[in-house]
Amino acid sequence: MEEKVRWLTPEEQQAWRSFLRLHDRLRGRLSRLLQAESNVSAADFGVLVELTDTPDGRRRILDLARALEWEKSRMSHHIGRMVKRGLVVRDECAEDGRGAFVVITDAGRAMIEAAAPRHVEAVRDLFLDHITPAELRTLARVSERVVEKLDEDPS
Amino acid sequence: MEEKVRWLTPEEQQAWRSFLRLHDRLRGRLSRLLQAESNVSAADFGVLVELTDTPDGRRRILDLARALEWEKSRMSHHIGRMVKRGLVVRDECAEDGRGAFVVITDAGRAMIEAAAPRHVEAVRDLFLDHITPAELRTLARVSERVVEKLDEDPS
DNA sequence: GGGCATTCGGTGAATCATCAACGACGTCTA
DNA sequence: TAGACGTCGTTGATGATTCACCGAATGCCC
């Protein structure tokens, strides 16, 4: 009952590895920059961005978790740490007694307003500036297509 | 002294986010598959692949760390866990009294030989199959170029 | 050879992520 | 309105990663 394995061709192998490597490097570099220049982790940054996307800077925990594709448990722990550092506060939810809101504080707002321009600049310097518009479109197209397939796939 | 920030255009923003999302999803899915079907983590898999790349299945620790772009400390901790599970053993180094080798065990070899075909298949199913050869070439080209720039950049 | 910096690897503490379980609440149905 | 069931969020235990540091061995330069 032995199936033959279709191993990757050298080109495929190399493309796949470069692709993975790029991601690791970019993320590593960007998060070290965020940490060094603005004293926030990439995770903090993501949460703060989501919060500032709403006019009042408050969102339900599960809503946040879904937006960032985190587990609710991770979100809960992470929010706890951010509360301790004064970036956000918890607030209870009137409509739903089980629920809870997270609200950005002034300190949190100050932090992200300081961090965002540097971050955008870094994304340009390290990534976008080295890619042609056509390549970027290809990248976006491929990414969307593959993610879509992943979502369809039962797992 | 205020600099103007060149925020991302909607297209850039969307491409960047899709790109990040793709990676997270793919990695998550692949590592869950490895874990579920073959009982190894993606990290274990990487180490075992590096070890089987040499004829005798033994490599210096720092050498491994560099190949995987890990910190030596992470490698050391990880090897410790793999030793505990019987996938590899440590071996001392004759030429250099400070050094140490890691050697794959029979159990480790069996594990990766079981895992590799499934993994390759998954990479095809989830990624390569949804991409044209031209797109793959673009991806590889862009990845290599950007990684190269990252390496040049002082940080 | 004696001193000194560097490299190799390991360790403990702190941080972060994941998993299973839980309590509290909401919703649906009989 | 009672019970069953699902959802929201938290918690504690367990693993994994990073950081700062250490000891041992090596290489280097005088």
Side-chain angles (χ1 to χ4, degrees):
Chain A
M1 198 75 277
E2 136 167 2
E3 299 284 336
K4 232 185 331 215
V5 181
R6 297 200 307 132
W7 299 102
L8 303 190
T9 67
E11 294 76 33
E12 287 171 332
Q13 173 120 206
Q14 210 234 347
W16 173 240
R17 290 207 174 183
S18 298
F19 182 61
L20 292 182
R21 178 180 311 266
L22 168 60
H23 198 63
D24 289 342
R25 293 289 195 80
L26 258 184
R27 275 192 123 78
R29 187 71 75 87
L30 287 172
S31 73
R32 256 174 286 120
L33 281 174
L34 269 176
Q35 189 68 59
E37 298 184 345
S38 310
N39 200 39
V40 276
S41 69
D44 296 334
F45 187 80
V47 172
L48 293 177
V49 166
E50 290 297 328
L51 287 177
T52 49
D53 271 0
T54 73
D56 51 356
R58 51 193 288 121
R59 288 185 76 171
R60 289 289 293 271
I61 296 230
L62 205 62
D63 184 24
L64 269 181
R66 275 198 269 261
L68 294 177
E69 304 190 334
W70 289 6
E71 316 218 347
K72 61 186 180 165
S73 162
R74 176 179 178 188
M75 187 57 74
S76 179
H77 284 300
H78 199 91
I79 294 299
R81 282 173 236 130
M82 293 179 74
V83 166
K84 219 182 303 183
R85 288 189 293 141
L87 299 175
V88 298
V89 293
R90 287 187 214 265
D91 191 11
E92 57 185 33
C93 177
E95 310 95 61
D96 189 336
R98 300 164 298 182
F101 283 102
V102 183
V103 192
I104 192 170
T105 62
D106 289 346
R109 222 176 265 280
M111 192 132 278
I112 191 167
E113 279 166 6
R118 313 281 298 160
H119 183 68
V120 169
E121 191 186 352
V123 171
R124 281 205 185 283
D125 288 351
L126 300 176
F127 184 62
L128 297 175
D129 279 355
H130 309 298
I131 296 184
T132 69
E135 287 170 342
L136 189 65
R137 278 194 299 276
T138 298
L139 225 63
R141 194 180 59 237
V142 167
S143 297
E144 281 153 30
R145 188 193 313 140
V146 175
V147 168
E148 201 176 322
K149 296 295 181 187
L150 281 173
D151 285 340
E152 289 170 11
D153 199 299
S155 178
Chain B
M1 197 83 283
E2 137 164 5
E3 300 282 335
K4 230 181 330 205
V5 181
R6 296 201 306 131
W7 298 105
L8 303 189
T9 67
E11 294 78 31
E12 287 172 329
Q13 173 120 206
Q14 210 234 347
W16 173 241
R17 291 207 172 183
S18 297
F19 179 66
L20 292 181
R21 180 180 310 264
L22 170 59
H23 256 290
D24 289 342
R25 291 289 194 82
L26 258 183
R27 275 191 126 74
R29 186 70 76 89
L30 288 172
S31 73
R32 255 175 286 121
L33 281 174
L34 270 175
Q35 189 68 60
E37 299 184 344
S38 311
N39 201 39
V40 275
S41 69
D44 297 333
F45 188 81
V47 172
L48 294 176
V49 166
E50 291 297 328
L51 287 178
T52 48
D53 270 0
T54 75
D56 51 355
R58 52 193 287 119
R59 288 186 76 171
R60 290 289 294 270
I61 297 234
L62 206 61
D63 184 25
L64 268 180
R66 277 197 267 262
L68 294 176
E69 304 190 333
W70 289 7
E71 317 217 347
K72 62 182 183 169
S73 163
R74 176 179 177 187
M75 188 56 76
S76 180
H77 282 299
H78 199 90
I79 294 300
R81 280 173 239 129
M82 292 180 75
V83 166
K84 219 181 304 183
R85 288 189 293 141
L87 299 176
V88 297
V89 292
R90 286 187 216 264
D91 191 11
E92 58 185 34
C93 177
E95 311 96 61
D96 189 335
R98 298 164 297 184
F101 283 104
V102 183
V103 192
I104 191 169
T105 62
D106 289 348
R109 222 175 265 281
M111 193 133 275
I112 190 166
E113 277 166 7
R118 312 281 298 160
H119 183 67
V120 169
E121 193 186 351
V123 171
R124 282 205 185 285
D125 287 352
L126 300 176
F127 184 61
L128 298 174
D129 279 355
H130 308 299
I131 296 184
T132 70
E135 287 169 342
L136 189 65
R137 279 193 298 277
T138 298
L139 224 62
R141 193 179 60 237
V142 166
S143 297
E144 282 154 29
R145 188 191 313 141
V146 174
V147 168
E148 200 176 325
K149 297 295 182 187
L150 281 174
D151 286 339
E152 289 170 13
D153 199 299
S155 178

